[in-house]
Amino acid sequence: MKIETYIDAIVSYAMNTGLAQPEDHRVLINRLLDLLEKPDYEPSDEPQPEDIEDILAGILEYAVENGLCDDNITAKDIFDTRIMGAITPMPREIVRTFWEKYEKDPVEATDWYYKFSCDTDYIRRYRIKKDMRWKYESEYGELDVTINLSKPEKDPKAIAAARNAPQTAYPKCQLCCENEGYAGRMNHPARANHRIIPIKICGADWCLQYSPYVYYNEHCIVLNEKHIPMKIDKSAFEKLLDFVRLFPHYFVGSNADLPIVGGSILSHEHFQGGHYTFAMEKAAVREKVVFKGFEDIEAGIVNWPMSVIRLCGKDSARIAELADKILGFWRDYSDERVGVIAFSDGQPHNTITPIARRRGEDYELDLVLRCNITTKEHPLGVFHPHADKHHIKKENIGLIEVMGLAVLPSRLKQELSDLAEAAFSGKDIFSDEVLSKHAEWLEELKKKYTFTKENAMDIILKETGKVFAEVLEDAGVYKNTPEGKAAFIDFIDTVNKEA
């Protein structure tokens, strides 16, 4: 196909998705000709591809052949994002449309903004489709399990180019508002097609955007306009609750503010939310509790593998006040019987992962107690996936996993498939360089199941989900045992003694 066909196709795509209007036609053509360094143009009479993945693939092939773009995944992502940036409207148009729709209905505003973020290819729908997703029915409810394949893995050439790329402090991180419209470089993602929505949270300037990797429906990121570190305190609870006032159909939560139990970017204050109901939200309160002086707030311990205190009431200010009180006690609380140590060598270990949502007219705040203490036996963390589960999940348990959605490494797509084949074929994997880490696990499964070609993969996926449930139990500071439950109540009693 001629390059003119792809140019015409992407302009037609912009018109059909509402990214552009007929009056924009000549400007878009000229922008694309400039990016493709093409001095002349005649409209094509060839049939146009309609799928954006196919259109961009044709443009990238032309760009590589003509020396406009290196032939590696990162360079191609930068180049095709520049192409999409050429047909993406300016921020003022997006902001105006969003708030016009918000005045009618917040759901209409976020529905429109999410579709827009997909249509600009900021969210690459064709990559998201590659993710593996399944459910696991645990004793705590139906857990989500995913293997993330939408985030492209860099090839050796891209890795070398990133290592040799000039270092710069702009943008300061991948979350900063300065990423909006940023061209990208080999060691920083391209965001030429990215648009953010400015919002006010507790009177301060924040921004709303979507995650380009979409781990769940309408996976959004809410970020402070200022590049300041993550901090869990009373103001964090107030901000979360204020966000669900603005967007009552969304939940929002924050990663904890300490390593091991926190998120991957602790340097920039941000939350994650979206339009999705996680298993933790569906989990019932196992035991109701009362906090003295806060009898107006319903409180209880949630039936969940991790240690969760749920607060619910109509007054968000009162909920934030009680949450702050609980946090204050938890920061300084130790119970060596269950391995909780508040400080060692002057370093704090205790914090909270908070999640806010609406229940009808009520506000609800889940407080997940976290402790990042390490020991010789558990050098990566006592309340972290233990070594016997590292063959499946070794990474930190952040906000998304806390709520019941496993984000497993991409390596597992092939490894689980190969494991299933080994299970029914009888292949010895103890000496296999890649699969040997799963060998002991597979031997235990063979004692439990009779594997066949037809059932092997289903069993492997089910048992992978079971491992994730056990990972969450590892991360829980109070285990769901008689001793753990009693220790949990001891902490709540401590809060009440000082009322």
Side-chain angles (χ1 to χ4, degrees), residues 3-5 7-8 25 29-30 33 38-44:
I3 187 59
E4 287 86 354
T5 304
I7 292 172
D8 292 345
H25 184 271
I29 292 290
N30 287 327
L33 291 174
K38 196 170 187 316
D40 50 26
Y41 165 79
E42 284 291 334
S44 172

Side-chain angles (χ1 to χ4, degrees), residues 289-326:
V289 297
V290 175
F291 288 97
K292 291 180 182 177
F294 292 89
E295 288 80 5
D296 54 319
I297 303 300
E298 291 183 30
I301 296 171
V302 179
N303 183 35
W304 193 244
M306 298 185 70
S307 306
V308 186
I309 298 172
R310 178 167 291 166
L311 308 178
C312 187
K314 296 193 181 302
D315 189 337
S316 61
R318 289 282 288 165
I319 293 175
E321 187 180 349
L322 175 54
D324 184 49
K325 180 178 180 179
I326 294 168

Side-chain angles (χ1 to χ4, degrees), residues 43-94:
S44 172
D45 55 5
E46 293 179 322
Q48 296 177 9
E50 297 182 2
D51 186 87
I52 190 61
E53 183 179 14
D54 295 336
I55 296 170
L56 291 175
I59 292 174
L60 285 172
E61 183 179 359
Y62 174 89
V64 170
E65 287 177 355
N66 287 271
L68 303 174
C69 174
D70 290 338
D71 190 10
N72 66 67
I73 184 66
T74 304
K76 287 179 177 179
D77 276 2
I78 291 173
F79 193 85
D80 70 10
T81 301
R82 288 177 67 198
I83 295 294
M84 292 305 299
I87 64 169
T88 299
M90 291 297 283
R92 63 179 178 273
E93 300 175 53
I94 308 313

